[in-house]
Amino acid sequence: MASTSEESAATPLLSAGKGNLDENKSPLKKHAFIAFVIALPSIAPGMCLGFSAETLPQLDLGVSDAAWFASVIALMIPIGYLLSKPVMERFGRRVALHTVSVVGLLGWLMLSFRPTDPTTVKLYLGRMLTGVSVGLAMLPAATYANESLKKDAVEQTSIVTWSTVALCFGILVTYICGAMIPYYQVAGVAAIISVFSLLAVAIFVPESPAWLQTKGRQGDAEWVQKQLGASQAGSSTDPEQPSPSAPPAPAEPQPTSLKEIMKEIEKPEVHKPLLIMSAFFFFQQFSGVFVFIAYMVDIVRSAGVIALNPYFVTVLSGVIIFGASIVASFVYPKTGVRALATLSGAGMCITMLFIAVYLSLRPYFFTRAEYYYLRWIPLIAILVNITSSTFGFLILPWSMLGEVFPLNVKGTAGAIATTLGYIFCFIAIISFPHLWLSMGSDGVFYFYGFSALLGTLFVYYFLPETHGKTLEEVLDGFSKKKKEQV
């Protein structure tokens, strides 16, 4: 009877057809393919980020309604983010990936039916659901890659960042489609991508072996390990573990009550990085990073770009965002974050102020034919600004959240910083139309330019360097343990 029980415990419950992979593939190719599939659900959420840029010029909305349409997703993203961890822990990483596509699909369907008289309620509901899907997409793919894929595959292909690259690709898809077809058809494309992602994950991706082990399904875990070509499943169940290559740290009790959380936040190694990352998010948003993405067509027009069609310039910007995100995924592991952030902020500051000065002086030379070549200045500045922001201020704050907090409060501190970041995002996006009306085009670019200048000074003097350091070394810099030991 004992042997029968042991045999049944080792028998997989999963059918061979669910998440079945070709066992003849090399582990690196197999894991790269899995990483590609688990990144697919992030494409449609990425389209949500750029959707307002192409949609607002087609809708007859007032200033306040347009501002809410563009910004409401920023309020919903933290909700999706906070829901994703409980979904992953209770139902598994695979189900969490499905949830991204299903919730997003519902929102895109509400936006995809051709309207005779579109109501703001339907538009807002569609945007809210797609905003939740963005938050749901922030953790599952990276968690799955950290837990289930081999260390050498992760290091050689930077696959833990592929979901971020997929988000940027979604922005590009929105800009391309929006330049050619009406917004409701763009929503239809996003709905089709959501369905395709749902089916791809269902067919090709098995559940995480680490999660199966936590549920006592050892037989399933061993079967998945064989399918993935992994010698053993990752032991981490923390969805915010920064890297599979990080050495295991001794387990510390996680605070559960509000009193325990506040006691932990009082420690310098917790509240100092929390304040720094919150300020980084503040400068990210009020330097116009997400404002550009949300209002790209209007931004191009406001900057005085007349050399090219604004929709074509928007597509160029999407190409730059996507390309820079790919380059950044390989550069980040080898480059200091402070240097990248400083260069990024400096580039944003210079280009913003350059556009502002151009707009201020334009009345003096615009009508003179001999200065026709100056019409290319705002276009070049816009593209350089997009490049600068993408490889630094756009991506760096999110990638650093797993590198600056103690393990026992990393989830809580990361959630606080992320929520604050999207509150800042909401304020920045919803305030843009009002700033533009009250300050004028040049005034808006002066505002973002000086904000970028302050952000650059902040990251240069206060942003902790994490490259080449262990988590303990980073935390020592906050708690000053080194000086005490000396």
Side-chain angles (χ1 to χ4, degrees):
M1 292 294 291
S3 61
T4 303
S5 176
E6 291 175 1
E7 289 176 2
S8 61
T11 302
L13 299 174
L14 296 169
S15 64
K18 186 177 289 187
N20 195 21
L21 298 171
D22 183 1
E23 296 184 13
N24 295 324
K25 285 185 179 179
S26 68
L28 180 59
K29 291 182 179 179
K30 190 181 297 183
H31 290 189
F33 175 73
I34 286 289
F36 172 77
V37 175
I38 62 176
L40 290 176
S42 296
I43 295 177
M47 294 182 68
C48 171
L49 297 177
F51 187 68
S52 59
E54 303 287 349
T55 303
L56 289 176
Q58 303 177 41
L59 294 175
D60 185 20
L61 297 176
V63 174
S64 296
D65 286 338
W68 274 99
F69 179 83
S71 62
V72 70
I73 64 167
L75 292 179
M76 307 310 296
I77 292 174
I79 296 176
Y81 177 82
L82 295 174
L83 288 174
S84 63
K85 185 173 180 179
V87 171
M88 285 193 297
E89 292 302 312
R90 182 169 183 177
F91 302 105
R93 285 51 169 144
R94 195 162 173 265
V95 172
L97 289 168
H98 289 327
T99 306
V100 176
S101 299
V102 172
V103 173
L105 176 61
L106 295 176
W108 289 118
L109 287 176
M110 295 191 70
L111 295 167
S112 63
F113 293 107
R114 182 171 185 173
T116 54
D117 183 20
T119 63
T120 54
V121 173
K122 191 187 81 166
L123 292 173
Y124 288 164
L125 285 176
R127 290 287 283 168
M128 290 170 69
L129 287 171
T130 54
V132 172
S133 74
V134 177
L136 289 169
M138 294 179 69
L139 292 178
T143 302
Y144 190 98
N146 274 322
E147 291 182 347
S148 306
L149 306 185
K150 277 189 173 182
K151 172 185 173 181
D152 58 347
V154 172
E155 291 179 343
Q156 291 180 43
T157 59
S158 300
I159 55 183
V160 291
T161 65
W162 283 15
S163 58
T164 301
V165 174
L167 281 169
C168 294
F169 179 69
I171 296 173
L172 172 60
V173 172
T174 302
Y175 289 168
I176 293 175
C177 293
M180 298 184 294
I181 58 179
Y183 78 90
Y184 51 86
Q185 293 182 6
V186 177
V189 171
I192 293 172
I193 291 175
S194 298
V195 173
F196 177 79
S197 303
L198 181 67
L199 295 176
V201 171
I203 294 171
F204 297 110
V205 178
E207 184 52 83
S208 164
W211 182 82
L212 291 170
Q213 287 181 342
T214 64
K215 301 301 179 182
R217 296 166 59 179
Q218 186 62 35
D220 289 338
E222 292 176 357
W223 179 83
V224 173
Q225 291 167 29
K226 182 180 178 182
Q227 290 288 302
L228 294 174
S231 57
Q232 72 178 63
S235 58
S236 168
T237 59
D238 179 9
E240 286 140 343
Q241 182 170 335
S243 170
S245 60
E252 297 182 47
Q254 296 189 3
T256 54
S257 66
L258 179 61
K259 183 178 180 180
E260 291 175 341
I261 292 174
M262 295 305 298
K263 186 176 180 181
E264 288 294 323
I265 291 178
E266 290 176 359
K267 297 179 179 178
E269 62 267 31
V270 179
H271 71 252
K272 286 184 179 180
L274 181 57
L275 289 173
I276 289 172
M277 294 311 301
S278 298
F280 197 1
F281 279 120
F282 176 86
F283 287 115
Q284 175 200 56
Q285 299 302 333
F286 288 96
S287 297
V289 174
F290 276 76
V291 172
F292 269 49
I293 293 174
Y295 295 103
M296 184 63 72
V297 175
D298 292 324
I299 288 286
V300 171
R301 289 170 174 164
S302 299
V305 176
I306 59 174
L308 293 175
N309 183 286
Y311 287 93
F312 181 71
V313 177
T314 299
V315 172
L316 285 180
S317 301
V319 172
I320 291 173
I321 292 172
F322 177 53
S325 69
I326 295 176
V327 174
S329 68
F330 292 97
V331 170
Y332 281 173
K334 304 173 184 178
T335 310
V337 294
R338 185 185 294 139
L340 277 175
T342 303
L343 287 174
S344 173
M348 293 165 58
C349 171
I350 293 171
T351 52
M352 288 286 193
L353 295 179
F354 203 77
I355 295 172
V357 172
Y358 168 85
L359 292 174
S360 298
L361 299 178
R362 185 172 59 168
Y364 299 101
F365 61 79
F366 187 75
T367 57
R368 302 182 64 174
E370 62 268 29
Y371 294 126
Y372 70 93
Y373 56 88
L374 295 178
R375 297 177 181 180
W376 291 93
I377 288 179
L379 171 62
I380 296 171
I382 285 284
L383 298 181
V384 173
N385 181 280
I386 294 297
T387 305
S388 300
S389 66
T390 302
F391 73 73
F393 271 51
L394 176 62
I395 300 176
L396 267 181
W398 313 108
S399 67
M400 290 185 63
L401 288 178
E403 303 174 342
V404 295
F405 295 117
L407 294 176
N408 64 320
V409 294
K410 182 169 58 180
T412 302
I416 294 172
T418 298
T419 301
L420 286 174
Y422 279 109
I423 290 174
F424 297 147
C425 180
F426 169 76
I427 296 172
I429 294 176
I430 200 171
S431 65
F432 169 75
H434 304 283
L435 285 176
W436 186 81
L437 289 174
S438 61
M439 302 174 66
S441 298
D442 55 344
V444 168
F445 284 101
Y446 277 122
F447 174 81
Y448 291 137
F450 283 115
S451 295
L453 174 61
L454 293 176
T456 303
L457 294 174
F458 173 81
V459 297
Y460 179 79
Y461 286 106
F462 297 105
L463 194 67
E465 183 56 74
T466 60
H467 177 64
K469 295 183 179 181
T470 64
L471 178 60
E472 184 179 358
E473 290 172 336
V474 174
L475 296 179
D476 282 345
F478 296 121
S479 60
K480 298 183 179 179
K481 289 181 180 179
K482 285 186 177 180
K483 292 183 179 180
E484 294 176 1
Q485 291 173 356
V486 172

